[in-house]
Amino acid sequence: DTAVSQTPKYLVTQMGNDKSIKCEQNLGHDTMYWYKQDSKKFLKIMFSYNNKELIINETVPNRFSPKSPDKAHLNLHINSLELGDSAVYFCASSFGTGANGYTFGSGTRLTVV
Amino acid sequence: AQSVSQHNHHVILSEAASLELGCNYSYGGTVNLFWYVQYPGQHLQLLLKYFSGDPLVKGIKGFEAEFIKSKFSFNLRKPSVQWSDTAEYFCAVNQNNAGNMLTFGGGTRLMVKP
């Protein structure tokens, strides 16, 4: 049973398209996150949701819009994709403040051509 | 804002060599500290974590880390590396009163030669 699952695993798309990445966790966690890992492996938080409410929204273009229909799901929708959006996107989840650490999904490798 | 620094970007070792990867953070308050490992093509997995108590923590696969508060450091060690330890290693810090944000260092790429 996968704890944090992301789909799709790979996504290749053209500039200007709109795409979504889905994330689901079955750990009963109340907080979910999206991280972006660039080509140099640097991990940067994008969003954090606690019980379906946005609590962290780092400086990301407003083309990125997270959606949390319930506390087990946090989807990421990206409008008007750009070449610079190419990266690996990781979903993660935790209890509360994440003091026990996060559980990460397997990542979605997005390539914009 | 807190920051996390990993000064070794790339480390190459032979099997059986000892490993120490540096991690320093900038926040002066109470923190929780973590090391994650990312094997090639895989997601991040927790190696070990420190909350309080004994500053020497032991994790999986023979890894350990020592929290030195006066140096704001949480270095990762392993006495004898194996080829299978080849991976990217990330140090991360979570402030106790800063919400849910886990801040990662830039990562250290470890290559172990057989």
Side-chain angles (χ1 to χ4, degrees), chain B residues 13-19 78-83 112-113:
Chain B
L13 295 173
S14 298
E15 276 196 315
S18 64
L19 170 72
K78 185 170 183 177
S80 176
V81 294
Q82 300 172 312
W83 175 77
V112 180
K113 298 184 292 184

Side-chain angles (χ1 to χ4, degrees), chain B residues 4-114:
Chain B
V4 183
S5 300
Q6 292 179 241
H7 304 293
N8 316 105
H9 298 294
H10 292 92
V11 173
I12 302 174
L13 295 173
S14 298
E15 276 196 315
S18 64
L19 170 72
E20 180 159 1
L21 301 182
C23 173
N24 290 89
Y25 61 93
S26 63
Y27 182 64
T30 304
V31 294
N32 301 313
L33 299 156
F34 307 84
W35 275 97
Y36 281 84
V37 60
Q38 185 178 25
Y39 296 104
Q42 294 191 27
H43 63 284
L44 285 90
Q45 301 171 47
L46 184 65
L47 266 182
L48 47 78
K49 58 190 178 187
Y50 171 81
F51 296 151
S52 63
D54 189 346
L56 184 63
V57 292
K58 295 193 182 298
I60 60 172
K61 305 187 182 190
F63 286 91
E64 65 179 31
E66 184 175 12
F67 171 51
I68 303 180
K69 189 174 182 179
S70 61
K71 294 186 178 180
F72 299 92
S73 70
F74 188 56
N75 292 355
L76 181 72
R77 299 195 292 249
K78 185 170 183 177
S80 176
V81 294
Q82 300 172 312
W83 175 77
S84 58
D85 293 325
T86 294
E88 192 93 20
Y89 292 81
F90 293 92
C91 181
V93 175
N94 171 276
Q95 290 172 236
N96 275 354
N97 60 353
N100 298 13
M101 194 165 75
L102 193 62
T103 302
F104 284 86
T108 297
R109 180 166 296 181
L110 171 67
M111 180 182 295
V112 180
K113 298 184 292 184

Side-chain angles (χ1 to χ4, degrees), chain A residues 36-92:
Chain A
K36 179 180 180 181
Q37 187 176 45
D38 62 23
S39 58
K40 296 183 179 178
K41 301 290 188 180
F42 184 70
L43 274 158
K44 184 173 169 57
I45 189 162
M46 300 174 71
F47 302 102
S48 170
Y49 267 73
N50 177 261
N51 283 319
K52 302 193 302 173
E53 291 192 15
L54 180 67
I55 57 173
I56 293 175
N57 181 359
E58 291 295 302
T59 307
V60 298
N62 56 14
R63 298 180 294 104
F64 290 79
S65 53
K67 294 277 193 304
S68 182
D70 55 60
K71 70 177 189 178
H73 295 83
L74 181 63
N75 304 324
L76 183 65
H77 188 75
I78 316 169
N79 289 327
S80 303
L81 277 155
E82 301 178 356
L83 292 175
D85 297 332
S86 295
V88 181
Y89 293 83
F90 285 100
C91 178

